[in-house]
Amino acid sequence: HKWFLLNIISILVISSLILSSLGYNKKDIFLIVSGLTLSAMIFNFLFAKIMKKRAEKTINHLFAKVESQLFYDELTSVYNRKAGFDRLLEEIARMRRNGGNLSIAMIDIDNFKSINDKYGHLVGDRVLRHVAMEIKESLRVNDIVSRYGGEEFLVILPETNEISACFALERVRENISMKPLDIGREKIHISVSIGVAEINFDEHPTEAIKRADHALYRAKYLGKNRIEIASEYIKGYSCL
């Protein structure tokens, strides 16, 4: 506002002095200065609007960038570990408030170290992105996917019991195994092992993750490319 007023005052003073020195009478000076002042006001208004839009665009871009760094994994574009755990806490609170079921799954890429060793880390990064995309595309919009660490992903399935979760994740497993990744003239066949756990009403989230992890280890031990459920009712239940 100060800059705007100073700009207008400067135009008034300078234009009045110039017109007076050129021999214009007071009436002509008043009309000309009024026109210049109006033009300056319109220009300043439009300039301020443009600058405001640019500032808002810059601020929104910075907020989006900060949000992305805070909540999303840079490589795979799914939630990072902390954001995924926070979403799990939210879903547990919702389940306790409204009732219903809530299941989680730990997904691990089979033989990922061998892929990295054979093809290099850049190809390993492509595999991670490919798997993350297949997980998201195979699940519902309201299901939550986060990169838990390395080649491991945490999936949260609201309003889903362990059996329904098993069927949903079988679709994930199948889609990944049926879609090899093209690397030049070669195709990399990828598979995942999955451990599923339905969260109990009073269970701490880390305990549920631990149970899903144990089911995942069992899937690895039994041959990989399979799903195991950490069921409290059925010991060592497999989806296959």
Side-chain angles (χ1 to χ4, degrees), residues 100-123:
N101 304 105
L102 176 64
S103 292
I104 61 169
M106 299 300 292
I107 301 178
D108 188 82
I109 302 172
D110 295 330
N111 307 312
F112 184 72
K113 186 180 182 303
S114 299
I115 293 171
N116 264 339
D117 291 344
K118 183 176 180 180
Y119 298 100
H121 289 284
L122 290 177
V123 172

Side-chain angles (χ1 to χ4, degrees), residues 131-211:
V131 169
M133 182 185 69
E134 288 300 329
I135 294 171
K136 280 187 71 69
E137 290 185 353
S138 301
L139 294 171
R140 302 168 301 181
V141 175
N142 61 322
D143 292 329
I144 300 156
V145 182
S146 70
R147 186 179 176 195
Y148 197 70
E151 67 272 24
E152 199 169 31
F153 296 88
L154 168 67
V155 176
I156 305 164
L157 301 105
E159 298 296 329
T160 309
N161 62 34
E162 58 192 12
I163 303 301
S164 298
C166 192
F167 286 119
L169 290 156
E170 173 59 20
R171 187 167 61 250
V172 171
R173 186 203 64 77
E174 193 175 65
N175 286 345
I176 291 170
S177 66
M178 291 176 64
K179 295 178 182 177
L181 184 65
D182 291 322
I183 304 294
R185 296 180 179 179
E186 199 171 344
K187 290 181 184 292
I188 298 178
H189 291 272
I190 306 163
S191 68
V192 294
S193 297
I194 305 174
V196 181
E198 183 175 342
I199 298 179
N200 299 318
F201 186 82
D202 57 351
E203 186 175 25
H204 194 277
T206 54
E207 286 302 314
I209 290 172
K210 191 184 294 183
R211 289 196 299 114

